Every structure is written in structure tokens, then in C-alpha cells.
Amino acid sequence: MRVGEFDFIAQYLAPLAGKEGLGLIDDCAVFTPIAGRDLILTKDAMVEGVHFPRGQFDAVTASKLLRVNLSDLAAKGARPEGYLLSLALPKSFDDNCAKDFTAGLGAAQGKFGIKLWGGDTTSTDGPLTISATLIGSVPAGKAVLRTGAQSGDLLFVTGTIGDARLGLDVALGREITGNVADKAHWLAAYNAPQPRLDMGAMLRDYASAALDISDGLIADAGHLAKASGVALRIESSSVPLSKPAQDWLASGGEIETLLTGGDDYQVLFTAAAKHAPAMQDAARAQGLTLTQIGQTHEGQGVECYDADGGVMGFARGGWAHF
């Protein structure tokens, strides 16, 4: 059964609202920032058939929307405060979809400690289009930007790279080499990225520049290099891969797929070499993996080297919408 706009808001969205959202009965939210903290704002959109399979109007999609936006906050060293939600819903979005979708929002809210503050709903004859604006905060002047890398800094990445790209193949039903457990691992990496919010203090204390990896390791390394006015050298043999991804490579997979695929939502950052021991200690204390994969130097652009020291060429650096 098709759910009406105001019934959808009152029945499904209002229970997700925090006090800043005023019960979702007003046109705005009211938020009083804490003294001594800067606000960090980010917004990402997801479109059916581009960012998730057609017809997948479910808890997985809703949860991922919040997770990918939270990843942007994580890369700034920020603490999430709340979010605004915008939905352009097709006619096929019915009451069952509403229940499942908002259950996904609720589960993600609970996990990451945020509430809905407001937003907008409308209908569309096109694909489901959803976006979230996340509001976070950091101690004043401590946001970690893309622009601070210096020549001679080391380049680090959290977690592993490439699993989500293989998960996309699984989600789309493409033929891919791997056992049932491998495919489940890849699909989880694609559907439920883990924003590295627990790395915030470490990034604020030590990182000179940072971003999250959404378009692919090589492409996003290029974004960081350009913003900071430095060149990056990446050692492909140092890039951390999960055991399932390593097995996939050994079976004939291409490393380019993993390095350029996107949707990793790990944090890529630079820091002075003197901070490396303290950063590794901080990561271990959080149960996280931190890997040095390269270094910055004077110049521009990104070069990736294979195990023999040769420069690797890529057909594409990563995902681009245009």
C-alpha cells in the first residue's frame, strides 16, 4: 500500500527525531553548538541504479546512506551530532518499504549515536534519490583537512582496500571467484562500510591531511595530493588487502580493480614520520589496522609502484560521476 507523505513523516520518521528536530512538525531544526567547537557539515546523495541496485528500498540502503556520510566526518576527526534527510520517493515506495527503510535508519542512528533533525520528502517519477546532511563538530581549529600534507610526510590508510569493489560484483549478481564466506565478506564491506569515527582523536593529534576513500584509493590519493600541492608515491605491495581479496588476486584477479574500485570508506591520511609509533599505538588500542603505503614528496600527482619498482598504469583512476 502506498504510504502518504505526512503519514510517512509522522509514523516512520518522527520517532527517529532528536530534540533538535522539534518533532518534525516545524520547517527547521534548532541546534545550539557547544562553546569551543567548530561545526563540520557534509552531504552525500545516493541514487537508485547508481549507488545501489534498483528496487533496493530497504534497511541496507538507509543504513549505508548514513554510514558513507559519517565516513566524511570521521576523516575530519569530527564527532557526529545529527543529520538532515532528503527523500525523493518513487511510486513503488510503499508501506513495507517505509518500515524497512526507517528500520535501517534507526539501527544506524543507534549504533553511531545520532538523531534525525529534519529534512524534506517529495515524490518522483524517476529513481529513488536520497541524501543526508550530517552535522558534526570538532574542537575549535582541529578539523583535519585535505590541504595540510607536507613533502616528506608518510601516507597511511586504515583497514583494507578493495573488498567493497568485489562486494559490488556480488550485489549485482556478477560472476566472481570466491567461496560463500568470501562473498559474504565482500558484500558486507559494500553494504555496511564502517566509518572510522574511533580514529578521531588520533587524526586530530597527528594527521596533516586526510580524506575518506569513496572514489577509489588512486583517485582519492590524487584529490589529497592536489589539495595539498604535493606528489604521492604509493607502493602497491604495501596496500593492505583482506585474505579473501588476496585469494581473489591469486585466482587471476587484477590489482587495478582493488586500487581503483571505490566504496572502501577507509581513511587515507598523511602524517610526519615522527608520529608513526604513537599513531600505531592509538590504532592498536582501538583494535584497528593502520598501514603505511607510501610517502609524499615535492611535485604533483600520484604514482603507484609495483613490487619490482615499476610505475603502474591504470585505465581509470577511480569512480567519477561525470
Side-chain angles (χ1 to χ4, degrees):
M1 181 177 67
R2 174 73 170 172
V3 61
E5 178 186 6
F6 295 108
D7 288 338
F8 176 55
I9 294 171
Q11 184 175 350
Y12 293 109
L13 295 181
L16 303 178
K19 60 182 177 59
E20 296 83 359
L22 308 175
L24 303 189
I25 59 174
D26 217 312
D27 288 334
C28 296
V30 177
F31 171 57
T32 304
I34 298 173
R37 295 185 71 86
D38 291 335
L39 293 185
I40 305 294
L41 308 177
T42 187
K43 181 183 181 67
D44 270 337
M46 291 171 55
V47 179
E48 178 189 7
V50 177
H51 299 94
F52 57 92
R54 294 189 181 279
Q56 187 175 296
F57 308 157
D58 59 8
V60 169
T61 299
S63 176
K64 186 172 182 178
L65 175 67
L66 293 187
R67 288 168 179 267
V68 301
N69 278 278
L70 287 164
S71 182
D72 282 326
L73 295 185
K76 297 293 169 281
R79 179 184 74 196
E81 302 287 354
Y83 72 102
L84 304 173
L85 180 69
S86 179
L87 304 174
L89 305 175
K91 293 180 174 59
S92 54
F93 190 91
D94 59 15
D95 191 64
N96 288 330
C97 294
K99 291 177 182 177
D100 204 12
F101 189 87
T102 51
L105 291 177
Q109 286 188 187
K111 180 175 179 63
F112 298 109
I114 55 174
K115 291 285 189 178
L116 175 63
W117 288 3
D120 187 45
T121 57
T122 187
S123 63
T124 178
D125 291 329
L128 174 69
T129 303
I130 56 180
S131 69
T133 300
L134 268 288
I135 300 94
S137 69
V138 296
K142 295 290 287 184
V144 185
L145 307 180
R146 298 183 179 189
T147 52
Q150 302 292 315
S151 179
D153 282 352
L154 303 183
L155 181 67
F156 295 88
V157 70
T158 62
T160 58
I161 297 298
D163 290 310
R165 171 59 184 82
L166 301 179
L168 173 62
D169 285 345
V170 177
L172 296 179
R174 296 170 179 164
E175 188 69 29
I176 182 171
T177 301
N179 60 37
V180 172
D182 291 344
K183 292 178 181 179
H185 171 82
W186 296 327
L187 187 61
Y190 175 72
N191 281 332
Q194 301 298 317
R196 298 305 186 186
L197 294 165
D198 38 11
M199 300 289 280
M202 186 272 288
L203 291 171
R204 293 193 303 270
D205 288 343
Y206 302 118
S208 54
L211 48 63
D212 72 326
I213 301 172
S214 56
D215 296 334
L217 173 64
I218 301 302
D220 284 312
H223 300 327
L224 190 151
K226 183 176 181 179
S228 286
V230 297
L232 293 180
R233 173 179 175 133
I234 294 175
E235 307 294 342
S236 65
S237 59
S238 296
V239 174
L241 305 177
S242 68
K243 181 60 164 57
Q246 293 175 38
D247 291 343
W248 177 82
L249 272 183
S251 72
E254 296 289 337
I255 186 65
E256 178 175 352
T257 300
L258 305 181
L259 299 182
T260 64
D263 279 327
D264 293 303
Y265 296 103
Q266 300 293 341
V267 178
L268 181 72
F269 68 96
T270 56
K274 65 182 180 181
H275 296 317
M279 290 190 305
Q280 290 290 1
D281 288 344
R284 280 191 291 269
Q286 295 288 347
L288 299 175
T289 301
L290 191 62
T291 306
Q292 181 192 339
I293 63 169
Q295 190 166 2
T296 67
H297 57 90
E298 293 183 0
Q300 59 184 359
V302 177
E303 287 187 331
C304 187
Y305 289 79
D306 61 26
D308 297 322
V311 177
M312 302 172 66
F314 300 104
R316 57 190 291 272
W319 173 257
H321 288 282
F322 297 99

